[in-house]
């Protein structure tokens, strides 16, 4: 019998997390696929003819959440400053340059994502 890398409980929780970030898949070249007994796979940077350039497997919903949050956060923080000297800073430094209102919006968005998959973390 083939080895199983994810429990049914974690599979359900990871599905909840993947679904919570559905809007991310519309913003960026990223998606999460159910890979059966292997868990869930984050695919990123699609190129026609080549496929996805980056893949990472997850069997823990918290790790999947943190990865998807990181991608969303980096997109929201970096995109507005591309082509400016601020783009040379790290993400947290860029975050500190944002208005307090924008910082709060970003932090509220994390709370929103958490609420969308809350029972996955319980």
């Amino acid at each position: 019998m083939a080895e199983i890398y994810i429990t049914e409980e974690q599979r359900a929780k990871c599905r909840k997390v993947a679904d919570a970030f559905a809007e991310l898949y519309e913003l960026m070249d990223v998606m999460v696929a159910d890979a059966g007994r292997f868990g869930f796979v984050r695919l990123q940077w699609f190129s026609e003819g080549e496929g996805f350039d980056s893949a990472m497997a997850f069997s823990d919903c918290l790790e999947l959440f943190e990865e998807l949050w990181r991608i969303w956060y980096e997109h929201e923080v970096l995109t507005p400053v591309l082509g400016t000297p601020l783009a040379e800073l790290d993400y947290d430094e860029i975050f500190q340059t944002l208005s307090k209102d924008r910082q709060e919006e970003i932090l509220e968005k994390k709370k929103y994502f958490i609420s969308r998959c809350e029972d996955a973390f319980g």
Side-chain angles (χ1 to χ4, degrees):
M1 180 178 208
E3 189 170 347
I4 297 174
Y5 298 93
I6 188 170
T7 66
E8 285 304 315
E9 178 184 10
Q10 279 297 319
R11 167 181 256 97
K13 290 178 177 185
C14 284
R15 166 57 52 210
K16 191 122 180 124
V17 171
D19 290 347
F21 280 88
E23 69 186 63
L24 174 65
Y25 314 142
E26 299 299 319
L27 288 174
M28 300 187 61
D29 228 3
V30 64
M31 70 165 288
V32 175
D34 184 337
R37 66 187 174 93
F38 301 102
F40 282 73
V41 179
R42 187 268 300 136
L43 302 165
Q44 194 169 12
W45 301 308
F46 183 78
S47 172
E48 194 171 329
E50 299 293 323
F52 287 95
D53 190 45
S54 174
M56 182 180 273
F58 294 88
S59 60
D60 179 89
C61 65
L62 291 173
E63 291 175 7
L64 179 59
F65 180 90
E66 288 301 322
E67 173 69 2
L68 296 175
W69 168 249
R70 180 191 63 77
I71 293 168
W72 189 91
Y73 174 83
E74 290 174 359
H75 176 267
E76 291 298 307
V77 169
L78 183 61
T79 300
V81 299
L82 285 175
T84 74
L86 288 176
E88 299 300 318
L89 300 174
D90 72 32
Y91 297 111
D92 291 333
E93 290 173 327
I94 296 169
F95 180 82
Q96 294 304 316
T97 70
L98 300 174
S99 71
K100 293 297 178 193
D101 287 342
R102 183 64 182 134
Q103 289 179 19
E104 187 59 34
E105 286 174 17
I106 289 172
L107 296 175
E108 285 298 318
K109 191 65 170 192
K110 185 172 189 178
K111 291 177 189 175
Y112 165 78
F113 286 130
I114 290 170
S115 74
R116 299 254 353 251
C117 45
E118 199 166 313
D119 60 337
F121 303 140

